[in-house]
Amino acid sequence: MKRQGRNDPLMSISKARLYEEVLQAMSECVFILKKSGEVTALNNNFEKILGIPSNIENESSFAELQYVREDGSPLPHSQLPGVLTLEHGTSFHNVVVGINNYKKEMKWVSIDSTPLKLSKNDEKTALVRISDITEQKKMENGMIQAREEAEKANMAKSDFLSKMSHELRTPLNGILGFAQLLELEESLNETQRDFVQEILKGGSHLLNLINEILDLSRIETGKLKVSIDEVHLLTLIDECINIVQPLAAKKKVSIHKQLSQSQDTLVLADPIRLKQILLNLLDNAIKYNKEGGSVTIFCHLEGNEQLVHIIDTGVGISVEEYQKVFVPFYRIQSTKEEGTGIGLSLVKQLVHLMDGEISVTSTKGKGSDFSFTLPLAADFQAVMRWDEEVEPPAGKGERAAHYCLLYIEDNESNLNLVSSIMKSQPSYTLLSAHTGKEGLELAAKEKVDLILLDLNLPDLDGYEVFNLLKENEKTKDTAVIAVSANAMPEDIQHTLNKGFNNYITKPINVKEFLTVVGETLNSTIEHHIPDYKILSTGPYGEEAVSAKTLQLSLHELKTLKENNYKAAIAMHYTGNDWSISQIEGLKNTFKKMGITVTAVTDAGFNWEKQIADIESILADKPDILISIPVDPVMTAGVYQKAAQAGVKLVFMDNIPKGFQYGKDYVSVISADNYGNGIESAHIMAEQLGGKGKIGIIYHEADFFATKQRTEAFEKTIKEHYKDIQIVDRIGITGPDEGEKVAAVMFSKHRDLNGLFVVWDVPAEGALKAAHKAGRTKLVITTIDLGRDTALEIAQDGLIKGVGAQLPYQQGVAEAIIAGCALLGKQAPPYVAVPALKVTKENVLDAWKWVYNKNGQQTILRQ
Ligand code: ADP
């Protein structure tokens, strides 16, 4: 803009007039406030905005008005911006104030006030500008109110839907359940069979619809949460194809799969919700196809994303309707097929919840291509080791026993249904109770194996009943399955977290019901261990059976309890966390099995003491001896004596020299020592950045467990880390030699970067030696998570990580194996508990896994 010079016509007008014109033209009310209380109005907007005549001269008129803040609370006159400016000399901008003006109208204004220095005697003044924002405020308030009302309505809607779904599910329970029972009835004729099929078809359709409406409303209110996991995409696609195959066959539609990549990818998704997405899209692709048409599922990678296309040869969709089909309840007008218009909107929301996008392209009359993206798992190839399934041991799963079940339920129709199901199952007897109180009394009086507990009882809350069952000595070990119409995943998880053994949703699906009841009865002892592949092999090279797969059925437990067996535990040493925790696992599990532990001995690493311990144990004639030999050669004789006396021998970690599986002993149970050696090597390499010189302190004794650790460590370093050099190996014969041997290693190799020590106790000795030698940059890795080692890892000391054993779980496994032996069942020769990599990042969580206890206090107390 060009600045006007002296010739500017405006300049010929007097300044005072010019300012007066400008001030009057302003939409704001402008005035000057003096400390003395005088007010000089600069324009005529006073009356318009404040309802005060413009010729006011005193500020006291303002004090008579009422002011409110934006939140509706009263604002005292002394807090008005102009007054504050006079007092503190500070400026204020856009202060929103509500004024109940002289005309009793509510006006919303925005106030600016700035200090001015006008008079010589330094009297404070403030220039105040007030703009009327009443209209703007009205609009804003209207919008807020509308939004609040919409939110309220939406909440009410989802609340209504969730209640309705519950109400609908309960009678559906009866309809579907009895129809399923009728379906099993052999005496039905063809027509009756058709009728039953119609009821089942209609009922399932209704159930699907209720579930979809519920999902949609829960997404809208942000209540539906997905739990993202690594999912094998192709496996899931195959599963879905199998499910829709009958529908496709009916319509003579063929389904094809096309992959641009050679292997199965791992995507990040919620497996249940991804299945729901695929099934919905496949269902549409078949439903809106023509007879004899085809559906192709095409998968390809694009950057970090996986794209999945579901392509059909059906009726197609016009461009204008590409977006509309994703709107809830929208259906293309010409559509003849039955439907609700919910499916695609739900699919879109679910894809978004998994950080993906969905779109469609189509040609009318030729077909459509619905495609969506999913994020890829960070490294979808590096899952081999943990992913392979462990073979379950042979001889598991037979279930011929007789069980007594108690169903606590007030709804007569549900009770009838379950009792009808049970009538077809000769191995179950069913007791029933209509109230929580009645159920508690019955459970305490009768010998009940399993309780089915409705969570909505008329007298007591289902959770209250559960707590009372757990408080009572007579019922505390009885398995409890929750039965509820509430199918929300987070509620199911919440219930399971409380300790319920399982959860069954209504309407009851007969097959699923029987499976869950059967599984619960068969899994009486819980293992909190992961399903990892075991790499260690047994003393004779036998393949490992994972401890995770061991089970005793309820019937087997009962048999064991009836026999009052006795067990003894002969340890090499009981003074470390590993032994204490393992003994605890053994004792707790034996207690569940009704087996009395008559002795726990500590040989203090002395084989002569161990022989004496076992001699005295044998005098008490135990049925079971669980033991770890101090010296596999020197103690072999006393174990032989025990075996000949008919005592069943279960070994931890090692067997006596020359012992034969099946003849001399039942089984040997250890950690995955090989796997732990591998973990320890990886931690070492990560800490050294893949290069350096390292030493190894190994165990000289002939212990297959400790040998495998060192072997795995060395092999992993040699095969994977070419720039890490193993410069020395020194053996120890006992845990106390760690410090001495490490000191030798340090004096021989001044440039040593890392040290592997075969277990944690000698590693702690090596740590002392490192401190004495002033080695501040060394990396030590080892095996076993003892308390001091955990503390050193947590404090970022020289010990950087371990491959840990899970001693508590090892104890549980040993007790179960002992139970198998007492029942005359053959136990596998070698059982192992999976390896666990522990570093600073997961040391607290790991502690929980390892010792079955919270480590927070133990580790952080120091
Ligand atoms: P529904 O199938 O129950 O009607 P959807 O939300 O799944 O509900 O689909 C919405 C509408 O989009 C359908 O009514 C149909 O008109 C159209 N549509 C969906 N998938 C296809 C498809 N593969 N080919 C043609 N039209 C489709």
Side-chain angles (χ1 to χ4, degrees), residues 156-226:
K157 182 190 80 184
S158 74
D159 197 38
F160 168 77
L161 286 172
S162 137
K163 284 202 179 104
M164 269 303 281
S165 110
H166 190 278
E167 291 303 313
L168 290 173
R169 276 163 165 274
T170 308
L172 252 186
N173 180 28
I175 298 172
L176 280 174
F178 283 108
Q180 285 179 76
L181 280 179
L182 262 184
E183 194 189 17
L184 299 176
E185 199 60 55
E186 280 167 13
S187 60
L188 293 191
N189 64 31
E190 255 334 277
T191 323
Q192 288 167 328
R193 215 163 270 290
D194 286 349
F195 289 172
V196 174
Q197 285 310 319
E198 285 303 316
I199 298 175
L200 281 173
K201 212 169 80 189
S204 322
H205 181 73
L206 200 54
L207 189 60
N208 252 342
L209 192 63
I210 293 168
N211 287 341
E212 286 198 330
I213 294 178
L214 195 63
D215 280 350
L216 200 60
S217 71
R218 289 173 61 228
I219 292 178
E220 276 175 9
T221 50
K223 278 191 192 148
L224 192 135
K225 301 269 181 291
V226 285

Side-chain angles (χ1 to χ4, degrees), residues 669-710:
I669 294 100
S670 80
D672 180 5
N673 287 293
Y674 201 93
N676 276 328
I678 292 178
E679 297 301 1
S680 201
H682 286 313
I683 300 169
M684 174 68 78
E686 281 156 21
Q687 290 291 327
L688 292 180
K691 57 173 188 283
K693 291 183 177 167
I694 61 169
I696 284 174
I697 296 182
Y698 65 95
H699 193 199
E700 275 183 359
D702 188 21
F703 260 59
F704 87 96
T706 43
K707 260 176 29 191
Q708 287 192 357
R709 297 173 181 185
T710 314

